Amino acid sequence: MGSLLDWLFHFPPLLWGLEQTEDIVIKALKHGKVPQHVAFVMDGNRRWARKHRVETIEGHSLGFEALKNLLRVCLKMGVKEVSAFAFSIENFKRSKYEVDALMDIVKNSLTQITAHGDMVDQYGIRIRIVGDLNRLKPDVYEAVVKVVESTKNNTRATLNVCFPYTSRHEISHSVQNIVRLAEDEKIVPEDIDEGLFEKNLLLNDSLPLDWLIRTSGVERLSDFLMWQVHEDSEISFIDNYWPDFSVWRFFPMLIRYQLQSQQDA
Ligand code: FPP
Ligand code: MG
């Protein structure tokens, strides 16, 4: 049944045109359960580039295009929050060339989509940069702060760009904040509970994570949203490399998600 569903989605866009079919499918999906917070581990860009004999950076750039398409579908469906793992603190171990290029891709992509009339403006998205901003070069830092500032009053949806991020850093950061509160005698140990801990995370004021999707066949969390994954979070691992993760691959997954939610209800 699973593969039949995937197979069916190969044909409608060829028959009726991409945009019209996309809108018809989204309209139908809106009748089912729509996840409120979806997270993506965008893995497999370099393997995609190797497979297609192009530069690694090309894989990352096309990775951003894939994210943009999925984000559009999520927003049209009514997903309220999307979190994307754009750069792990571990990625600083890669070559300077690749790190600099990735930083530039994130900086330029964010500037592009926040331009007046572009995606963020069109859908009313608030962008948050979640991570250790002290590690960013000044030009990248300035650009992302500008993006956050210019979108902070948008209320329809939130895009969390996790960059440069690891859960272990986020959790240590929360502990540091709480210890400071205790040192300043603003709290006593008994005040420390899940709520206070969460309030001090980088990704605070966030909706419960309904669904985490990782591409490229790797079945690991890789230090991503380890606090946020809760007992009811769905986790899906798919084989496609990230740049190949199209909306037409996403639609059958959404249908399965909705069928699964009906069974669980
Ligand atoms: C993982 O694939 C992907 C990354 C390290 C970078 C992902 C970043 C983007 C797609 C840009 C997103 C931009 C914005 C604005 C959110 P990999 O390099 O680990 O590939 P591999 O697993 O094949 O080695
Ligand atoms: Mg990888």
Side-chain angles (χ1 to χ4, degrees), residues 198-227:
E198 220 158 84
K199 232 165 84 184
N200 284 282
L201 287 170
L202 297 169
L203 197 58
N204 52 19
D205 182 25
S206 199
L207 292 166
L209 180 63
D210 291 326
W211 198 7
L212 183 142
I213 301 173
R214 179 174 187 150
T215 51
S216 92
V218 175
E219 301 192 356
R220 292 195 292 263
L221 284 185
S222 297
D223 217 341
F224 186 52
L225 304 187
M226 289 188 321
W227 173 274

Side-chain angles (χ1 to χ4, degrees), residues 17-248:
L18 287 172
E19 243 182 76
Q20 292 90 325
T21 322
E22 180 177 302
D23 286 343
I24 294 168
V25 177
I26 290 171
K27 216 168 162 186
L29 285 166
K30 276 173 127 174
H31 292 284
K33 183 183 167 194
V34 173
Q36 294 294 287
H37 183 177
V38 180
F40 295 116
V41 180
M42 310 185 280
D43 198 22
N45 291 349
R46 294 187 298 185
R47 276 167 285 165
W48 185 93
R50 269 201 298 276
K51 185 176 150 195
H52 294 271
R53 295 175 198 279
V54 295
E55 273 226 53
T56 300
I57 307 312
E58 180 73 9
H60 292 314
S61 297
L62 284 168
F64 171 67
E65 294 304 317
L67 176 66
K68 228 164 70 167
N69 291 332
L70 294 162
L71 190 59
R72 181 186 67 244
V73 164
C74 285
L75 296 167
K76 279 191 192 168
M77 267 184 55
V79 173
K80 292 275 177 299
E81 190 164 345
V82 172
S83 299
F85 202 3
F87 193 93
S88 164
I89 292 175
E90 295 297 317
N91 291 151
F92 280 114
K93 293 180 187 151
R94 295 188 180 186
S95 73
K96 182 176 174 340
Y97 175 72
E98 188 181 348
V99 170
D100 286 349
L102 261 169
M103 292 280 155
D104 281 345
I105 290 173
V106 174
K107 179 177 112 177
N108 297 334
S109 308
L110 288 179
T111 312
Q112 177 211 320
I113 58 171
T114 44
H116 181 63
D118 210 312
M119 190 167 203
V120 167
D121 197 30
Q122 203 180 334
Y123 292 101
I125 311 170
R126 166 177 68 143
I127 295 192
R128 296 196 290 187
I129 309 296
V130 182
D132 188 357
L133 302 191
N134 293 325
R135 293 176 190 252
L136 297 177
K137 286 196 304 186
D139 64 313
V140 180
Y141 179 83
E142 270 167 38
V144 299
V145 166
K146 227 187 229 170
V147 163
V148 171
E149 188 58 27
S150 68
T151 64
K152 70 174 186 208
N153 294 323
N154 291 346
T155 52
R156 273 177 62 194
T158 301
L159 170 65
N160 301 311
V161 178
C162 300
F163 164 85
Y165 175 90
T166 59
S167 287
R168 283 179 298 173
H169 166 262
E170 181 183 31
I171 289 168
S172 329
H173 173 267
S174 179
V175 174
Q176 283 172 10
N177 280 354
I178 290 171
V179 170
R180 265 187 222 113
L181 290 173
E183 278 176 353
D184 295 346
E185 295 180 359
K186 291 191 175 132
I187 56 165
V188 293
E190 290 68 31
D191 292 329
I192 302 172
D193 58 10
E194 287 173 25
L196 182 74
F197 199 85
E198 220 158 84
K199 232 165 84 184
N200 284 282
L201 287 170
L202 297 169
L203 197 58
N204 52 19
D205 182 25
S206 199
L207 292 166
L209 180 63
D210 291 326
W211 198 7
L212 183 142
I213 301 173
R214 179 174 187 150
T215 51
S216 92
V218 175
E219 301 192 356
R220 292 195 292 263
L221 284 185
S222 297
D223 217 341
F224 186 52
L225 304 187
M226 289 188 321
W227 173 274
Q228 289 79 5
V229 169
H230 59 86
E231 59 172 12
D232 292 324
S233 305
E234 283 291 329
I235 302 184
S236 301
F237 297 108
I238 61 168
D239 286 338
N240 308 67
Y241 294 146
W242 177 259
D244 283 335
F245 186 18
S246 70
V247 301
W248 304 101

